[in-house]
Amino acid sequence: MKKYLLDITIFSAGMPFSADHIDKGKSLGGSETAALQCAHALAKQGHRVMLFCNTEKEHERGGVTYVPIGWVPTPGVGGFPKGFFDYARSTPCDLMVIQRMPAMYQFEVKSKVNFLWQHDLATRTGPSNFHNQAWNIDRILTVSGFMKQQYQKVHGGPDRLYHVTRNGVDLDLIDNAKSKGERDRFKVMFTARPERGLDILLRDVWPRMVQAEPRLRLHFCRYDDPATLPLYQELEALAKSYGESCVNLGNLGKQDLYGHYKTARLVLYPSVFEEVFCISAHEQGACGTMMIGPWKGALPETCAGTHLLIRDNGSIGRQGDAIDPGFGKPTKEFLDTFVSETIDLIHNDERWDKMTKATRQRAEELTWDAVAEDWVNLAHKIIAEKSSDPRNMVKHFLVHSDVVAAKKYAEKVNVPAVTQSADKYIERFVPFVNVADGSERKKAIADFYEQRSGGQGADYRTAFWAETEPRCRLLLDWIAARRGEIETVLDFGGAH
């Protein structure tokens, strides 16, 4: 299949960010990081990428154009993304990718292929529900097989509606991050959202760990998310009660976070949450450290064989083991093994070295380039499927007033029903298309639009309304502002 460079529009309405967000050391969430890094992977392949996000002003970097979403305050619902909708409903593109918000597909958009890129667990009444927009979605992208199964269990839908993709890591960014010093045997970290295990770590695990190894130091951080602030403040107070053994790093940007990973022995994640991928685990692996976590959610799929995952019964998870359900209380067996395995890996250099080499190797397999290539291949496949039926193709051309394309396509495929459909439309609505002689066609076009504008019965209102039509007015004002610069204007389909 021949491949083309695509016009791609991505919508990411999470935390605010811009092209230099990471450079400035600002903290950033996982889905926002994924949008930014995948956009640049697509642009690196030559595709033209528009990234609508919560940025302050339009700017460009590395082939990606960052565009403000253009929120307009709306009573009762917070805001309406008018800027994005105006663009999406009027500007053609090859591929549109909406992150996390199915409602953005509630209106028809001018894209050939529509992906819904999900990052959160499905909930029956929550924002993951796509039923009302399914007519406008070609594929739902899930970042793991576990996530796909969870979506089908909650929301239904055939296999062909879903496509299992994955998250990735930016190895160049990670490798260029400066380390915060030498690797510290007794430095362990927690870097997830606080509700995903920091409470368990501080209340149930940490007292036992520092009793077994008093030299341990826990470094924890967060990103700037106001929604988690109350819980974070509560747990921060608990951490202070442990004195110097707990170090609050505050909000960390990517460079600083990676710098700390490069000096840490382990990342502790005693969570009961069901991860759908856990991109941070592979960032940690790329930095030469490893995670100890639960045998839950997608972790057995995305992290098994590299990071250490513990089952509820206290055993180490192995391929083929049943996945433990999430969101319950951590079992005594899980906590016991978590403490003992942490202490062992703090001191067992041979085991730690073997496992961290595996986590780095796994991270090297998870660059965004392969994700971008997969999406582009899928988009081409879907476009080819939509274009395979001549009847659908000619209908598409005619609906979008591409009459000449419809006529030429009908002549090429030479299917009687398709040719008849195109000829019937032309004869009824634009008969001048069938005039072969160029000068005669010009006269036929002039006569056609003269009659359309009222012919002999036209009066002053025809010209008045033509000049005040919004698109015409916009063009006239634009030309007037550039008087002397514009010498010629191509009127391409402007009469419609």
Side-chain angles (χ1 to χ4, degrees), residues 234-430:
E234 176 187 341
L235 295 175
E236 184 181 19
L238 177 58
K240 287 180 179 179
S241 69
Y242 295 117
E244 294 182 354
S245 71
C246 289
V247 180
N248 183 359
L249 299 174
N251 300 330
L252 291 184
K254 288 290 183 183
Q255 298 281 8
D256 285 337
L257 178 63
Y258 297 154
H260 278 285
Y261 282 155
K262 290 181 179 182
T263 65
R265 180 79 170 190
L266 299 171
V267 177
L268 307 182
Y269 189 49
S271 177
V272 295
F273 182 74
E274 292 182 341
E275 291 282 354
V276 295
F277 187 85
C278 200
I279 190 172
S280 59
H282 301 292
E283 292 176 325
Q284 295 152 15
C287 291
T289 187
M290 60 173 290
M291 176 187 75
I292 302 179
W295 188 259
K296 299 180 187 294
L299 295 184
E301 175 186 347
T302 62
C303 295
T306 53
H307 300 273
L308 183 70
L309 304 179
I310 303 171
R311 301 180 67 195
D312 284 347
N313 63 12
S315 65
I316 305 301
R318 298 285 185 264
Q319 186 175 4
D321 289 343
I323 299 174
D324 291 330
F327 302 107
K329 291 184 177 181
T331 64
K332 178 181 181 300
E333 293 80 5
F334 170 83
L335 295 174
D336 289 345
T337 302
F338 197 98
V339 172
S340 63
E341 289 294 325
T342 298
I343 300 302
D344 179 74
L345 283 165
I346 288 294
H347 296 283
N348 191 332
D349 291 340
E350 182 178 354
R351 185 185 181 203
W352 179 87
D353 186 61
K354 180 180 179 180
M355 295 189 73
T356 53
K357 285 180 178 177
T359 62
R360 170 66 193 198
Q361 182 178 354
R362 175 61 174 148
E364 291 175 352
E365 299 169 356
L366 295 176
T367 63
W368 282 108
D369 293 338
V371 176
E373 185 68 23
D374 176 53
W375 288 15
V376 169
N377 290 339
L378 179 59
H380 276 84
K381 177 184 176 182
I382 294 172
I383 291 173
E385 290 172 352
K386 291 182 176 183
S387 306
S388 62
D389 188 333
R391 293 170 298 180
N392 288 340
M393 280 296 292
V394 79
K395 180 180 178 181
H396 169 82
F397 286 132
L398 294 176
V399 165
H400 292 86
S401 296
D402 292 331
V403 182
V404 175
K407 179 179 173 65
K408 290 182 178 295
Y409 179 79
E411 293 171 352
K412 179 180 179 180
V413 298
N414 195 27
V415 176
V418 172
T419 302
Q420 182 181 5
S421 178
D423 289 345
K424 184 177 179 181
Y425 182 96
I426 291 170
E427 187 63 33
R428 180 176 179 183
F429 296 108
V430 283

Side-chain angles (χ1 to χ4, degrees), residues 12 42 83 113 156 179 189 203 226 274 303 367 388:
S12 177
L42 289 163
V113 177
S179 174
M189 296 187 70
R203 291 168 182 160
E274 292 182 341
C303 295
T367 63
S388 62

Side-chain angles (χ1 to χ4, degrees), residues 9-316:
T9 302
I10 300 176
F11 177 90
S12 177
M15 296 173 61
F17 67 92
S18 56
D20 60 357
H21 197 92
I22 293 176
D23 297 344
K24 290 182 176 179
K26 296 180 179 180
S27 59
L28 194 61
S31 62
E32 294 83 9
T33 299
L36 185 153
Q37 294 181 345
C38 191
H40 280 272
L42 289 163
K44 188 167 67 172
Q45 296 180 4
H47 305 288
R48 296 168 290 273
V49 183
M50 301 283 287
L51 176 54
F52 282 83
C53 56
N54 287 316
T55 188
E56 292 183 358
K57 60 182 180 179
E58 182 174 325
H59 57 287
E60 189 273 342
R61 180 173 178 177
V64 177
T65 302
Y66 292 74
V67 187
I69 291 174
W71 295 102
V72 174
T74 305
V77 295
F80 179 77
K82 186 178 185 302
F84 167 74
F85 269 130
D86 286 348
Y87 178 90
R89 299 186 69 192
S90 63
T91 308
C93 71
D94 299 303
L95 171 62
M96 182 167 291
V97 183
I98 301 292
Q99 199 179 58
R100 280 180 152 174
M101 299 177 67
M104 295 299 106
Y105 281 128
Q106 63 185 292
F107 299 115
E108 183 180 6
V109 290
K110 299 294 183 180
S111 44
K112 297 175 184 176
V113 177
N114 296 332
F115 290 167
L116 174 62
W117 188 13
Q118 296 291 62
H119 291 266
D120 308 296
L121 288 169
T123 54
R124 294 192 184 279
T125 59
S128 64
N129 194 322
F130 57 83
H131 291 176
N132 291 338
Q133 297 81 34
W135 63 274
N136 204 21
I137 298 171
D138 292 298
R139 292 293 189 279
I140 296 172
L141 305 181
T142 61
V143 295
S144 61
F146 164 82
M147 186 180 183
K148 174 190 171 184
Q149 293 175 4
Q150 198 263 346
Y151 263 70
Q152 287 182 303
K153 182 178 180 180
V154 174
H155 295 311
D159 284 343
R160 66 177 180 274
L161 179 61
Y162 294 89
H163 180 76
V164 177
T165 181
R166 62 167 173 79
N167 283 326
V169 295
D170 185 338
L171 283 178
D172 290 337
L173 179 66
I174 290 172
D175 291 342
N176 289 327
K178 293 182 180 179
S179 174
K180 297 296 181 180
E182 297 296 321
R183 184 81 64 181
D184 183 348
R185 177 186 301 275
F186 301 105
K187 179 178 179 178
V188 296
M189 296 187 70
F190 179 94
T191 62
R193 294 167 62 96
E195 74 275 18
R196 295 185 184 180
L198 183 57
D199 52 345
I200 297 171
L201 177 58
L202 291 175
R203 291 168 182 160
D204 302 328
V205 175
W206 193 242
R208 298 171 59 182
M209 284 187 175
V210 291
Q211 183 176 11
E213 177 49 84
R215 291 171 290 182
L216 280 176
R217 294 293 180 268
L218 171 65
H219 292 68
F220 63 99
C221 64
R222 64 188 293 266
Y223 52 83
D224 192 12
D225 180 10
T228 64
L229 186 57
L231 176 60
Y232 188 79
Q233 291 173 331
E234 176 187 341
L235 295 175
E236 184 181 19
L238 177 58
K240 287 180 179 179
S241 69
Y242 295 117
E244 294 182 354
S245 71
C246 289
V247 180
N248 183 359
L249 299 174
N251 300 330
L252 291 184
K254 288 290 183 183
Q255 298 281 8
D256 285 337
L257 178 63
Y258 297 154
H260 278 285
Y261 282 155
K262 290 181 179 182
T263 65
R265 180 79 170 190
L266 299 171
V267 177
L268 307 182
Y269 189 49
S271 177
V272 295
F273 182 74
E274 292 182 341
E275 291 282 354
V276 295
F277 187 85
C278 200
I279 190 172
S280 59
H282 301 292
E283 292 176 325
Q284 295 152 15
C287 291
T289 187
M290 60 173 290
M291 176 187 75
I292 302 179
W295 188 259
K296 299 180 187 294
L299 295 184
E301 175 186 347
T302 62
C303 295
T306 53
H307 300 273
L308 183 70
L309 304 179
I310 303 171
R311 301 180 67 195
D312 284 347
N313 63 12
S315 65
I316 305 301

